[in-house]
Amino acid sequence: GAGVSQSPSNKVTEKGKDVELRCDPISGHTALYWYRQSLGQGLEFLIYFQGNSAPDKSGLPSDRFSAERTGGSVSTLTIQRTQQEDSAVYLCASSVDRAYEQYFGPGTRLTVT
Amino acid sequence: RKEVEQDPGPFNVPEGATVAFNCTYSNSASQSFFWYRQDCRKEPKLLMSVYSSGNEDGRFTAQLNRASQYISLLIRDSKLSDSATYLCVVTSQAGTALIFGKGTTLSVSS
């Protein structure tokens, strides 16, 4: 079946602009996660959604970052007033439920110039 | 101390070699453990879960030592296609997020 999809695959933006990244999880997966991977760094957890529960936002690096998940499916990660240090690959993952195997999307490569 | 530590490598081995990767984690409350594989400029993919009793999947064997907070991955009879970065992963204390090591790079040559 279809895997996790993300769009856009690449995004180049100017410093100070806002960006929106989209994630379509695998159908039926209740848990959705956002991570980012900076050059030479490991994957860093950002935020977790589980069903209708309040999201775990403990990994968001600043208040410029926010995410929502509409209808328990599609999620959007928004970065306001982008900075150069926001340049990274943003990865979305979904799983049947928490603690189950997470399936990753191909990521969005964000470059802030 | 980093939450998950791995030797970054690279490990350069010939085809057919046996290679072992090690990983330590700092949070004794972590409940689930995994090895993920990541190819260059691709997303991570689950290689195998790691259980306290140890588990094997073909040429791959994973071990967990909870007392030492240590995880290992053994690859036997290495293939060219095994070349990738291997990520040691544990769940967060809340059991929600995955905490990734920075990965160990393996290069298998003919």
Side-chain angles (χ1 to χ4, degrees), chain B residues 31-75:
Chain B
Q31 293 296 317
S32 299
F33 310 88
F34 310 92
W35 284 99
Y36 274 71
R37 170 191 169 133
Q38 187 172 26
D39 292 288
C40 188
R41 300 177 77 87
K42 297 286 190 181
E43 70 274 19
K45 292 186 179 178
L46 179 68
L47 178 66
M48 58 196 304
S49 301
V50 188
Y51 305 112
S52 296
S53 55
N55 48 298
E56 187 174 306
D57 182 2
R59 298 180 294 109
F60 298 83
T61 301
Q63 296 277 353
L64 167 66
N65 184 322
R66 283 186 181 268
S68 303
Q69 294 177 206
Y70 171 93
I71 306 165
S72 66
L73 176 68
L74 183 76
I75 305 175

Side-chain angles (χ1 to χ4, degrees), chain B residues 12-18 76-83 107-110:
Chain B
N12 299 305
V13 304
E15 278 187 289
T18 295
R76 292 182 300 279
D77 188 23
S78 299
K79 310 290 185 192
L80 294 175
S81 57
D82 294 335
S83 297
S107 177
V108 181
S109 57
S110 57

